Amino acid sequence: MAIKKFEVGFIIFVMIVIRCCNCAFTPADNYLIDCGSLTNTTIGDRVFIADASLSWTLKSSSSIIINTSRDLLPSSDDTAPLYMNARVFTASSSYTFQIKQHGRHFIRMYFLPLVNANYDLTAAAFSVSTQNALLLDKFQPKANVTVFKEFSLNITSDTLTLTFAPTGSNSLAFVNAIEVMSVPDNLIADTAKIVNPAGTTYKGLSGQALETIHHINMGGPQVLPDNDTLWRTWETDDKYLLSSSVSQAYKYPTGRIKRMEGVTQETAPDIVYSTARELSSAAQNTMSYLVNVTWKFDVDANYNYLIRLHFCDIVSQALNALLFNVYINSRSVESNLDLSAITVQSLATAVFIDYVLEADDASGTLIVSISPSNAPNGDTLPNAILNGLEIMKINGSGGPAVVDVPPGSSKNFGIILGSILGAAAVIVVAIILCLVLRKRKPAKQYSKTWVPFSINGLTSHSTVSRTSNGTAFTVGQNGTLGYRFAFTVLQEATNNFDENWVIGVGGFGKVYKGVLRDETRVAVKRGNPKSQQGLNEFRTEIELLSRLRHRHLVSLIGYCDEKNEMILVYEYMENGTLKGHLYGSNFPPLSWKHRLEICIGAARGLHYLHTGQVKAIIHRDVKSANILLDENLLAKVADFGLSKTGPELDQTHVSTAVKGSFGYLDPEYFRRQQLTEKSDVYSYGVVLLEVLCARPVIDPTLPRDMVNLAEWGVKWQKRGELEQIVDTRIAGSIRPESLRKFGETIEKCLADTGVERPSMGDVLWNLEYVLHLQEADSSTSVSDVNSINRITELAPQVQNINTVQTTPTVEAGTSVLNDLTDVSMSKVFSQLIKSEGR
Ligand SMILES: *[C@@H]1O[C@H](CO)[C@@H](O)[C@H](O)[C@H]1NC(C)=O
Ligand SMILES: *[C@@H]1O[C@H](CO)[C@@H](O)[C@H](O)[C@H]1NC(C)=O
Ligand SMILES: *[C@@H]1O[C@H](CO)[C@@H](O)[C@H](O)[C@H]1NC(C)=O
Ligand SMILES: *[C@@H]1O[C@H](CO)[C@@H](O)[C@H](O)[C@H]1NC(C)=O
Ligand SMILES: *[C@@H]1O[C@H](CO)[C@@H](O)[C@H](O)[C@H]1NC(C)=O
Ligand SMILES: *[C@@H]1O[C@H](CO)[C@@H](O)[C@H](O)[C@H]1NC(C)=O
Ligand SMILES: *[C@@H]1O[C@H](CO)[C@@H](O)[C@H](O)[C@H]1NC(C)=O
């Protein structure tokens, strides 16, 4: 029922968001002046007032108005009428505007030197300044060319004085039209990523004057002022595109664009996000990873530039399937950019990222390139996209404050803090909007509800998740996803926690087999009453666990927190642990193919833990006993997430409660006390050896050099004689190429340092290839050489995205939507609600 309620809440939430997206923006200050005109001029939905009727704005000792006929204009676009009249100044003169709302404003000016018998405007040279800033210096508009200038200034005084001053005594100044208009304060944030050196942050943008160089709609049509809530013009990208043959335009239905918090219609209109330039089909289909889509712009040297890239993944069919690199002036600014991660696992969701290119790196040209990265699992085509691009010139003065961001802790802190703020902001906005909606008043006070959006793109989160079939689940403060069992139900299901029904013991407590009244079999993990975990932590963990849904992860069905119990109820895995099938029991030996399929499945599960969430989740205890097999021998990873509140290593517990098990532990973890996804990769490498050799990872009964499987295995692999130690029961059935590749993969996983190890995605790729080599017939072996080379190239591509120092959990407020939501799991879940409902 809680879910139903939440669903309704979710729908209202979405409606509100949509509603607000449709709200037209009303600028607090909005001066539109047709200079030198005697009549008001209407352009689209805006009226430019004749400055003759606004004598109070203009202070001029010597001004003349001149006009021309429309057919003499060089331009015929919508704004052409504004160029028909001009006000000409023979001495310094000013327009003064009352500023109702301090903050960012656009100042736009239109110039065309009209032909006139008495005044030669083509000889005009002048400056334009505000009381604080020089906007144009020694400006000389050329004949027959209309010039449109757009500046963005933070105005902090109550009036704005715009002064036109002729340069030199015989010169003239003129202007055809002026706009002064408030824009949302969050349109330009204070910080941006610095292109070079990478990893540094530019601070102080909010005080800077910016001049628009380009607003560009990549792969889309020109957008005219009437189709933009801030009346901007967005150009097409064709004329800036180099080698257009490697790219193509892509279009998506405009109405289906979602937006991250803080990405409003004022940031950019839907048409910018719903069109993009992507890799050409030919490049995609030929798996061309070494392709750049590049745009080149001529800019003035010696200035800093603010470059805003707009992204919206409208091309992908699945989450996390698009990984690409971005370069600005040949410097890498994003590698393996995964838009799904930034948009909290949703497609077609608009975001933008700001960069500052400093003067030293921008010498007259500005080049933006995108190129595909290798897909994490090798099963999607290479692609790269860009939806929109804005280039703004920053007035160079007053060196910016550069803040170094160390790659580790503070970044994560930022993410966590950001997510908390983001989640809080979402709630606040939702409440405000609900009130607004109830009063049935249009949200005119829009500017007051803007939520600041971080440039790093990672601070905003939705509290709502959606499964692939469109149902909404709650992951809220109290409403936890998953079924809350009554203690008596679990007592009954486990025969009152019968010791004979124990199927496993772990740091957390005992695991019992259970049978619910409707015959559903479950695994019931009962927290040890003496365990150090508090109830609150337990609840936090349930939230984390319930967000993780994947075919290759053991699903949490429910929990019980009655009477201070901490019980987790999982789906029951018929075939027990992988370890049990490898040695020490009476199961028939698994074939090599079966083993590979299990390894691939488990690798998929781990890859999802590492990459399926905003923040990587590190398992911390990857071992064959934590890989479970269902009735069809499908592998699922178990026991993840509990790591968070488990006893820390320094508490020197000897039990399995120490996260990470002896024999599987990453040696680098000991050295650096820093946990990364690569620690899981190491442990997984040990599992792969175990699968191959079918022996315990630590066997003290063996001769000394054989005790530790990892050391022993790597030694044989390095000698090139891995086949000597393969499980004798299957040794004959493994094809040599398959074994060779498998051995290489193990060796890479067990590399000494994390950076040398492949990512889980690469491991997955390699294992699939091992299976392919096992199944392929010998005639294809010629091409294998190439494939192997390619795989080796792939390995270093994926960077360690998150280095997590303490606890690898997802922050409250994030959500999962995964296409792989386990169907059987939801079936169980719905049955439970029916049969065991409170
Ligand atoms: C132009 O519009 C303004 C404001 O609507 C009005 O006050 C003024 O009289 C108009 N001027 C002319 C010449 O129509
Ligand atoms: C310029 O303005 C005058 C009125 O001041 C008008 O008579 C004349 O027709 C206008 N010229 C053109 C080319 O519009
Ligand atoms: C740009 O910088 C120059 C030099 O510091 C300064 O005089 C001018 O006012 C600045 N212009 C703007 C628009 O801030
Ligand atoms: C501007 O255009 C007009 C009319 O088309 C033409 O007579 C004139 O020579 C042009 N001026 C320049 C400088 O090109
Ligand atoms: C404008 O500048 C003031 C003072 O420098 C600053 O406090 C404010 O945040 C700025 N506003 C915007 C919208 O950047
Ligand atoms: C611009 O707006 C007009 C009408 O307001 C609409 O017909 C047109 O399709 C829009 N163009 C784009 C590119 O959205
Ligand atoms: C793409 O461009 C970047 C930056 O110029 C460059 O470093 C990279 O090597 C290029 N890639 C290809 C395949 O040309």
Side-chain angles (χ1 to χ4, degrees):
M1 267 123 294
I3 288 174
K4 272 273 168 55
K5 246 184 217 162
F6 195 87
E7 242 175 308
V8 173
F10 174 76
I11 291 163
I12 290 175
F13 181 82
V14 168
M15 277 167 35
I16 294 166
V17 170
I18 290 169
R19 214 184 139 86
C20 254
C21 292
N22 292 335
C23 300
F25 169 69
T26 318
D29 295 311
N30 194 15
Y31 296 99
L32 307 172
I33 316 275
D34 188 358
C35 304
S37 176
L38 299 174
T39 58
N40 293 343
T41 306
T42 301
I43 306 290
D45 57 359
R46 298 187 298 168
V47 179
F48 284 70
I49 310 294
D51 70 348
S53 64
L54 293 173
S55 52
W56 53 267
T57 59
L58 179 62
K59 288 195 192 69
S60 172
S61 51
S62 42
S63 83
I64 318 104
I65 59 174
I66 60 176
N67 58 5
T68 192
S69 64
R70 181 148 188 176
D71 42 290
L72 288 177
L73 292 175
S75 143
S76 59
D77 70 18
D78 292 357
T79 58
L82 293 177
Y83 293 103
M84 284 169 60
N85 313 281
R87 190 166 286 272
V88 182
F89 310 102
T90 53
S92 180
S93 309
S94 316
Y95 286 90
T96 303
F97 305 92
Q98 302 301 314
I99 298 300
K100 297 193 203 98
Q101 185 180 302
H102 291 184
R104 280 229 168 246
H105 287 69
F106 274 143
I107 298 177
R108 295 179 173 135
M109 289 174 282
Y110 299 76
F111 301 99
L112 173 69
L114 301 181
V115 180
N116 183 276
N118 302 322
Y119 298 96
D120 180 11
L121 294 194
T122 59
F126 55 99
S127 67
V128 181
S129 53
T130 69
Q131 60 268 48
N132 309 314
L134 181 64
L135 301 181
L136 292 170
D137 192 24
K138 300 193 186 85
F139 179 53
Q140 287 179 283
K142 291 192 195 69
N144 289 351
V145 180
T146 60
V147 177
F148 172 75
K149 292 277 183 187
E150 179 179 274
F151 297 89
S152 159
L153 265 66
N154 180 354
I155 301 178
T156 51
S157 52
D158 294 339
T159 56
L160 168 72
T161 307
L162 207 52
T163 304
F164 294 82
T167 310
S169 50
N170 293 327
S171 190
L172 297 169
F174 72 90
V175 61
N176 303 67
I178 302 174
E179 296 176 35
V180 174
M181 176 187 134
S182 311
V183 301
D185 279 346
N186 71 342
L187 189 64
I188 304 293
D190 192 54
T191 57
K193 295 184 179 186
I194 290 179
V195 171
N196 181 35
T200 54
T201 303
Y202 184 99
K203 278 189 133 188
L205 274 175
S206 61
Q208 299 275 15
L210 306 173
E211 179 184 347
T212 302
I213 307 298
H214 296 291
H215 302 292
I216 299 175
N217 182 16
M218 264 59 197
Q222 184 191 31
V223 182
L224 294 172
D226 276 344
N227 288 30
D228 179 292
T229 54
L230 294 181
W231 295 279
R232 283 164 298 207
T233 300
W234 298 74
E235 307 166 70
T236 58
D237 66 337
D238 313 57
K239 60 176 178 286
Y240 306 107
L241 194 60
L242 301 183
S243 62
S244 53
S245 64
V246 296
S247 75
Q248 66 192 21
Y250 186 87
K251 191 167 167 17
Y252 186 82
T254 319
R256 302 210 334 234
I257 298 298
K258 288 163 279 179
R259 288 162 180 269
M260 290 293 285
E261 302 306 322
V263 183
T264 63
Q265 293 292 329
E266 286 67 54
T267 310
D270 280 348
I271 185 72
V272 170
Y273 290 115
S274 64
T275 55
R277 190 160 292 278
E278 62 167 353
L279 235 61
S280 68
S281 305
Q284 292 183 42
N285 292 332
T286 53
M287 299 294 273
S288 308
Y289 286 99
L290 301 181
V291 164
N292 272 341
V293 179
T294 301
W295 296 264
K296 180 167 175 269
F297 307 91
D298 295 325
V299 294
D300 293 340
N302 305 323
Y303 286 92
N304 294 343
Y305 287 90
L306 171 63
I307 299 163
R308 173 168 291 185
L309 302 184
H310 295 273
F311 293 109
C312 184
D313 184 357
I314 50 178
V315 301
S316 292
Q317 306 298 318
L319 289 168
N320 307 105
L322 174 68
L323 279 188
F324 61 101
N325 306 318
V326 182
Y327 306 89
I328 295 177
N329 275 20
S330 295
R331 303 205 178 261
S332 167
V333 293
E334 299 293 338
S335 62
N336 304 311
L337 181 64
D338 179 2
L339 296 175
S340 304
I342 297 180
T343 58
V344 200
Q345 305 293 307
S346 81
L347 295 173
T349 303
V351 297
F352 63 86
I353 310 179
D354 286 344
Y355 305 90
V356 168
L357 181 69
E358 295 188 300
D360 298 348
D361 301 303
S363 51
T365 46
L366 200 156
I367 295 172
V368 175
S369 310
I370 52 174
S371 74
S373 314
N374 299 298
N377 43 15
D379 58 8
T380 52
L381 298 177
N383 205 352
I385 62 166
L386 184 60
N387 303 67
L389 170 68
E390 292 177 89
I391 300 177
M392 284 162 261
K393 185 161 141 187
I394 303 172
N395 193 34
S397 63
V402 176
V403 185
D404 288 293
V405 183
S409 54
S410 60
K411 188 176 161 202
N412 291 316
F413 173 73
I415 292 172
I416 294 166
L417 182 69
S419 70
I420 294 168
L421 293 178
V426 168
I427 293 163
V428 170
V429 169
I431 292 170
I432 292 172
L433 293 182
C434 273
L435 292 176
V436 168
L437 187 74
R438 237 201 249 155
K439 289 183 180 165
R440 291 175 190 279
K441 273 190 193 152
K444 273 277 152 49
Q445 299 296 72
Y446 195 44
S447 60
K448 293 201 174 133
T449 60
W450 272 310
V451 183
F453 175 68
S454 154
I455 298 312
N456 299 318
L458 282 168
T459 61
S460 304
H461 296 292
S462 155
T463 51
V464 177
S465 70
R466 273 191 155 219
T467 61
S468 50
N469 60 12
T471 345
F473 285 140
T474 128
V475 193
Q477 275 72 16
N478 318 313
T480 303
L481 172 68
Y483 184 68
R484 186 163 180 247
F485 285 88
F487 184 67
T488 49
V489 170
L490 295 180
Q491 250 179 331
E492 187 188 307
T494 57
N495 200 19
N496 198 15
F497 298 100
D498 189 337
E499 288 300 307
N500 295 322
W501 289 32
V502 171
I503 50 175
V505 183
F508 182 76
K510 288 179 178 160
V511 187
Y512 299 83
K513 186 176 70 178
V515 183
L516 300 175
R517 274 191 202 155
D518 69 347
E519 312 267 275
T520 311
R521 307 236 275 166
V522 291
V524 179
K525 199 177 233 175
R526 188 181 189 191
N528 187 341
K530 285 182 230 98
S531 137
Q532 301 177 0
Q533 277 186 310
L535 212 53
N536 281 338
E537 288 143 325
F538 174 71
R539 293 202 175 107
T540 317
E541 283 189 6
I542 299 169
E543 287 196 10
L544 165 70
L545 295 176
S546 28
R547 276 195 293 271
L548 300 171
R549 290 269 175 261
H550 192 276
R551 193 171 138 84
H552 293 287
L553 296 182
V554 175
S555 297
L556 180 71
I557 294 174
Y559 68 100
C560 168
D561 58 357
E562 237 174 73
K563 301 186 190 162
N564 284 352
E565 286 284 347
M566 294 180 286
I567 302 175
L568 295 171
V569 182
Y570 288 97
E571 64 178 316
Y572 185 75
M573 299 293 284
E574 212 70 39
N575 268 311
T577 67
L578 169 60
K579 184 177 179 177
H581 283 262
L582 291 174
Y583 49 86
S585 66
N586 298 326
F587 289 113
L590 294 168
S591 72
W592 178 233
K593 184 172 172 242
H594 258 135
R595 292 184 198 198
L596 285 179
E597 282 165 353
I598 289 166
C599 291
I600 289 169
R604 275 192 205 285
L606 289 170
H607 177 56
Y608 172 76
L609 284 179
H610 289 178
T611 60
Q613 304 284 308
V614 177
K615 204 169 145 195
I617 293 171
I618 300 171
H619 188 297
R620 297 178 127 193
D621 197 10
V622 174
K623 56 182 177 183
S624 56
N626 275 338
I627 295 170
L628 305 185
L629 304 175
D630 75 0
E631 66 272 22
N632 302 316
L633 292 179
L634 183 82
K636 298 194 183 203
V637 177
D639 209 17
F640 46 86
L642 290 178
S643 52
K644 189 193 171 212
T645 48
E648 292 301 323
L649 275 173
D650 56 16
Q651 286 178 272
T652 57
H653 275 244
V654 197
S655 70
T656 45
V658 173
K659 266 299 173 182
S661 302
F662 205 43
Y664 294 93
L665 269 178
D666 171 9
E668 197 187 29
Y669 178 30
F670 279 120
R671 285 201 300 274
R672 300 182 48 201
Q673 295 294 309
Q674 207 184 48
L675 202 61
T676 70
E677 296 97 308
K678 297 297 178 68
S679 307
D680 283 352
V681 171
Y682 181 92
S683 307
Y684 196 65
V686 181
V687 170
L688 294 180
L689 261 181
E690 218 180 332
V691 166
L692 187 70
C693 309
R695 56 151 277 192
V697 291
I698 299 289
D699 189 344
T701 63
L702 291 171
R704 191 132 57 97
D705 65 333
M706 292 177 66
V707 170
N708 185 322
L709 174 62
E711 285 172 14
W712 186 60
V714 168
K715 200 157 72 190
W716 285 97
Q717 163 64 18
K718 290 218 161 113
R719 253 191 250 165
E721 296 176 17
L722 194 61
E723 67 276 9
Q724 303 287 338
I725 60 167
V726 173
D727 181 358
T728 48
R729 297 172 296 176
I730 56 161
S733 68
I734 307 182
R735 297 174 69 100
E737 314 85 78
S738 175
L739 178 63
R740 183 169 45 89
K741 188 75 212 156
F742 194 71
E744 283 168 20
T745 309
I746 291 175
E747 191 180 345
K748 279 189 221 146
C749 290
L750 296 182
D752 241 1
T753 59
V755 286
E756 297 171 84
R757 293 173 208 150
S759 71
M760 213 58 222
D762 294 330
V763 174
L764 176 56
W765 214 103
N766 280 275
L767 290 175
E768 282 175 338
Y769 192 62
V770 171
L771 180 62
H772 170 78
L773 289 176
Q774 176 69 19
E775 292 186 320
D777 52 59
S778 41
S779 63
T780 59
S781 60
V782 182
S783 67
D784 290 350
V785 182
N786 290 331
S787 321
I788 289 165
N789 290 341
R790 206 169 89 76
I791 290 163
T792 342
E793 279 165 24
L794 293 187
Q797 284 278 347
V798 179
Q799 290 189 337
N800 181 6
I801 296 165
N802 285 320
T803 305
V804 181
Q805 270 177 333
T806 49
T807 48
T809 59
V810 171
E811 326 77 59
T814 55
S815 58
V816 171
L817 23 146
N818 194 288
D819 291 338
L820 297 177
T821 301
D822 195 333
V823 179
S824 67
M825 164 57 207
S826 25
K827 204 178 74 202
V828 172
F829 184 54
S830 59
Q831 278 170 3
L832 283 170
I833 288 179
K834 269 181 247 141
S835 62
E836 308 280 340
R838 275 177 278 172

